[in-house]
Amino acid sequence: MVQFIIRRLLVSIPALFGVIFIVFVLARMLPGDPCLAALGERATDEICDAFNDRYGLNEPILVQFGIYLRGLAAFDLGESIRYGRPVAEILIERLPTTIELAFYALLFASIVGITLGMAAALRRNSKTDVTTMGIATLGVSIPIFVLALILQYIFAVALRGAPLQLPPSGRLSPGMQFDTIPEAWGLESLEGFPRAVLDFLSNIYTFNFVVTLQFDPLIDAVQHLILPVIALGTISLAIIARITRSSLLEVLGLDYIRTARAKGVADRNVLRRHAFRNAMLPVVTIIGLQLGILLAGAVLTETIFNLTGVGKTMFESITGRDYIVVQAFTLIIAVIYLSVNLIVDVSYAFLDPRIRLK
């Protein structure tokens, strides 16, 4: 197991290098001048010369790439052109929003998708099957931005004042007060990497409010998450439901399932002990791959619901020619995606003992 993980990590290095190089080159192929995008009317020739010299933009592209790699080797992600702040600080503030949104969207899609897929498979060609697959087809067909606007209209406008009314945007209601983890635990004097970790976890609001026992902000944060989670997770939910149904139907038709039933094993035990575990192998793979879709969909979702996360920051950075932020955020997202895929591969060994990690 350890050798497999080490081997996969080593194989991931060329993939990460390729992502870094491609994004680095493509970012600099974008039309427009970073100095003009950042300074606007204040940009003069003298100021832009100093600006380009500060950020190394007047160097040949290969020299710029070498400087960037040297910074990465020292765990320095650089300084944002647009915000004038270290990218690490921006990541600590905004990456938790995307992680929180993607995690709950994936959790929602997985639980509901697997449940619907199992219900459809166990009642094949029934009204339940037809209805479930119809919902799945509809979920795949509706774009995220359309579904998001529909949800906002229904739950924030049409149901205004009703018990089912939900907030249309933001992470918390205006004026909602809360303590961060360092404040709640009396660790304000903490500095360095441990403080950065606690600040990062504090910006995952639901985690922060659970560990610090702040229940009013927790309820408010959950209410603000419901609509963006549904909008982002619906497409993945539909895909997971269809894969679960087809995989479970295939397993239920195998010889060993018929043998178990012929021996008098209850259908509940056949499903739980034999069919479900083997049917989950392709489903787990699909769930891991959905992370990429969720991270990509977060760009639209965060913009529509006014959530300041990676997606919205990436959009602002691309339009503002902020190369440093684009490169750093892409690298972090690639690391997250490769890590999840490694977890998916390792989980195969636990789902099916016949599979050996080599």
Side-chain angles (χ1 to χ4, degrees), residues 48-256:
C48 283
D49 288 340
F51 182 93
N52 293 332
D53 183 68
R54 176 185 176 185
Y55 292 101
L57 300 176
N58 53 0
E59 300 287 346
I61 189 169
L62 291 180
V63 175
Q64 294 183 43
F65 187 63
I67 294 173
Y68 179 65
L69 289 181
R70 187 171 59 198
L72 286 182
F75 299 99
D76 181 10
L77 296 175
E79 181 179 310
S80 169
I81 297 175
R82 179 183 179 89
Y83 302 101
R85 300 167 53 201
V87 176
E89 292 183 1
I90 302 174
L91 274 171
I92 290 174
E93 291 178 359
R94 305 191 176 188
L95 181 60
T97 302
T98 301
I99 290 178
E100 187 175 38
L101 177 60
F103 172 78
Y104 286 116
L106 188 61
L107 185 65
F108 162 73
S110 301
I111 294 175
V112 179
I114 292 174
T115 302
L116 292 178
M118 291 179 61
L122 295 177
R123 297 170 177 82
R124 185 179 182 182
N125 297 328
S126 66
K127 292 182 180 179
T128 301
D129 185 15
V130 174
T131 302
T132 301
M133 290 303 100
I135 294 174
T137 302
L138 186 64
V140 173
S141 304
I142 301 178
I144 292 176
F145 63 92
V146 174
L147 180 60
L149 294 175
I150 292 174
L151 291 173
Q152 283 181 326
Y153 176 78
I154 293 174
F155 289 97
V157 179
L159 295 177
R160 183 189 300 271
L164 294 179
Q165 178 186 354
L166 292 172
S169 62
R171 298 187 69 190
L172 289 173
S173 299
M176 177 64 67
Q177 301 293 323
F178 67 92
D179 294 329
T180 63
I181 294 177
E183 292 171 347
W185 291 355
L187 300 174
E188 294 95 332
S189 60
L190 198 65
E191 297 180 354
F193 181 74
R195 179 57 185 265
V197 172
L198 290 181
D199 288 340
F200 184 89
L201 295 176
S202 296
N203 287 322
I204 304 177
Y205 281 179
T206 52
F207 177 82
N208 176 18
F209 300 149
V210 168
V211 299
T212 58
L213 303 179
Q214 301 178 74
F215 298 110
D216 289 339
L218 175 62
I219 294 173
D220 189 70
V222 170
Q223 289 176 339
H224 281 77
L225 275 173
I226 291 175
L227 294 186
V229 163
I230 294 175
L232 181 58
T234 299
I235 293 179
S236 297
L237 182 156
I239 295 173
I240 292 171
R242 295 183 69 89
I243 296 298
T244 301
R245 176 185 181 275
S246 60
S247 178
L248 189 56
L249 284 176
E250 181 181 355
V251 171
L252 289 174
L254 296 178
D255 292 339
Y256 75 93

Side-chain angles (χ1 to χ4, degrees), residues 17-48:
F17 182 84
V19 169
I20 293 170
F21 180 75
I22 292 173
V23 172
F24 187 91
V25 173
L26 290 179
R28 280 154 180 76
M29 291 175 62
L30 291 172
D33 189 337
C35 178
L36 294 176
L39 302 179
E41 296 180 355
R42 295 176 297 156
T44 63
D45 292 339
E46 294 78 9
I47 292 177
C48 283

